[in-house]
């Protein structure tokens, strides 16, 4: 359920896209620094949006760097890093681990097994750093599994469960911004869940996995 929050690059000025990419690269560096190459492979665009949102909301001063990497070996590129780069990297690891767990429970495939085992210890480190937050996220993940395992459920009920997870992730601090950030994360999470379910409907039908659009899809297909 990652990769849906993207910029519309053709509509951006070059300087704006470079700013966006600098935050993306900052999270990438934070993942490598804390979790190695395996951690870096979990990088996604959704958390870049969160890092930029939090940095602007809290008016956080960025540390600017220039660095080379595997994707840019010849020329250094700008990176922006601050405390939210690290936070977003941590949340990326935690969610990616549970995505691997979920994939493994769905079809017992090699990819899910590899992902969950490669990230298990890293996710435990995140849990130690954010015990209360991770406990709430895990409770919401359990609720999502319960809702999905119940079979045919209204799309809104399933999407709400994932919205609760994203809402918790968006609340990086317990302060005056918490309620508003939770709402942003909650509705973005619902949006991501619905898009992911719509995109995966045919694949889920082939595998026999739960998808909230199954009944509607089969009804339309049988007309």
């Amino acid at each position: 359920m990652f990769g849906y929050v993207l910029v519309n690059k053709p509509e951006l000025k070059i300087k704006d896209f470079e700013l966006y990419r600098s935050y993306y690269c900052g999270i990438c560096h934070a993942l490598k620094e804390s979790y190695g190459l395996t951690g870096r492979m979990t990088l996604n665009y959704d958390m870049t949006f969160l890092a930029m949102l939090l940095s602007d909301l809290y008016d956080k001063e960025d540390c600017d760097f220039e660095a080379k990497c595997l994707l840019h070996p010849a020329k250094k590129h700008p990176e922006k890093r601050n405390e939210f780069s690290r936070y977003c990297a941590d949340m990326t690891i935690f969610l990616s681990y549970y995505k691997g767990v979920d994939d493994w429970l769905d079809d017992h495939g090699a990819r899910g097994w590899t992902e969950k085992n490669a990230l298990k210890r890293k996710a435990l480190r995140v849990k130690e750093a954010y015990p209360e937050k991770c406990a709430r996220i895990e409770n919401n993940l359990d609720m999502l599994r319960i809702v999905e395992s119940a079979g045919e459920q209204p799309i809104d009920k399933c999407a709400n469960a994932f919205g609760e997870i994203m809402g918790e992730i968006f609340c990086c601090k317990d302060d005056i911004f918490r309620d508003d950030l939770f709402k942003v994360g909650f509705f973005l999470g619902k949006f991501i869940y619905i898009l992911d379910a719509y995109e995966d409907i045919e694949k889920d039908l082939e595998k026999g996995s739960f998808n909230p659009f199954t009944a509607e899809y089969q009804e339309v297909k049988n007309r």
Side-chain angles (χ1 to χ4, degrees):
M1 293 183 180
F2 299 114
Y4 287 99
V5 185
L6 306 173
V7 295
N8 187 1
K9 186 177 178 181
E11 296 297 321
L12 291 182
K13 295 179 179 178
I14 293 175
K15 67 180 181 65
D16 293 330
F17 180 72
E18 289 297 323
L19 176 64
Y20 173 80
R21 190 167 66 174
S22 68
Y23 277 99
Y24 179 80
C25 292
I27 297 175
C28 183
H29 182 93
L31 283 165
K32 179 191 175 186
E33 192 175 61
S34 299
Y35 304 106
L37 182 60
T38 304
R40 183 178 249 179
M41 293 173 66
T42 65
L43 181 66
N44 63 78
Y45 292 107
D46 307 71
M47 288 300 172
T48 306
F49 167 71
L50 179 57
M52 295 184 74
L53 174 65
L54 295 175
S55 297
D56 191 54
L57 179 64
Y58 287 99
D59 197 20
K60 194 67 180 179
E61 185 175 346
D62 301 309
C63 295
D64 294 311
F65 300 89
E66 288 193 346
K68 296 179 181 180
C69 68
L70 290 174
L71 294 179
H72 307 91
K75 184 180 179 181
K76 289 184 178 181
H77 55 279
E79 295 181 0
K80 286 189 177 293
R81 303 178 219 154
N82 56 42
E83 64 177 279
F84 300 119
S85 306
R86 174 61 186 272
Y87 172 78
C88 289
D90 292 339
M91 293 299 104
T92 298
I93 290 293
F94 198 69
L95 281 183
S96 296
Y97 166 69
Y98 276 101
K99 180 181 180 298
V101 171
D102 191 55
D103 289 345
W104 168 249
L105 292 174
D106 273 352
D107 56 19
H108 286 74
R111 182 176 179 178
W113 185 89
T114 301
E115 190 171 20
K116 75 180 184 67
N117 283 284
L119 298 176
K120 185 175 182 178
R121 290 186 179 180
K122 296 174 174 60
L124 287 174
R125 285 168 51 195
V126 176
K127 194 172 180 178
E128 289 174 0
Y130 310 91
E132 294 181 3
K133 178 176 291 293
C134 289
R136 289 193 291 267
I137 293 172
E138 287 177 327
N139 286 338
N140 288 324
L141 285 165
D142 288 340
M143 180 58 65
L144 179 60
R145 290 196 193 98
I146 291 171
V147 171
E148 291 185 338
S149 65
E152 293 186 12
Q153 294 287 335
I155 181 66
D156 209 44
K157 189 172 184 179
C158 302
N160 282 348
F162 190 73
E164 294 281 344
I165 295 168
M166 292 300 292
E168 184 60 46
I169 289 170
F170 269 58
C171 300
C172 65
K173 297 181 180 183
D174 191 10
D175 58 15
I176 60 172
F177 297 120
R178 177 177 174 83
D179 290 345
D180 290 330
L181 283 171
F182 184 90
K183 289 178 183 177
V184 175
F186 176 78
F187 288 108
L188 180 62
K190 290 186 67 173
F191 173 72
I192 289 173
Y193 185 90
I194 291 169
L195 281 182
D196 186 69
Y198 176 82
E199 192 173 75
D200 288 350
I201 180 63
E202 293 186 355
K203 182 177 68 176
D204 288 338
L205 283 173
E206 289 179 4
K207 296 191 301 182
S209 301
F210 170 80
N211 190 300
F213 288 124
T214 296
E216 290 84 353
Y217 179 86
Q218 290 176 331
E219 181 181 342
V220 171
K221 195 172 181 180
N222 292 331
R223 284 178 183 173

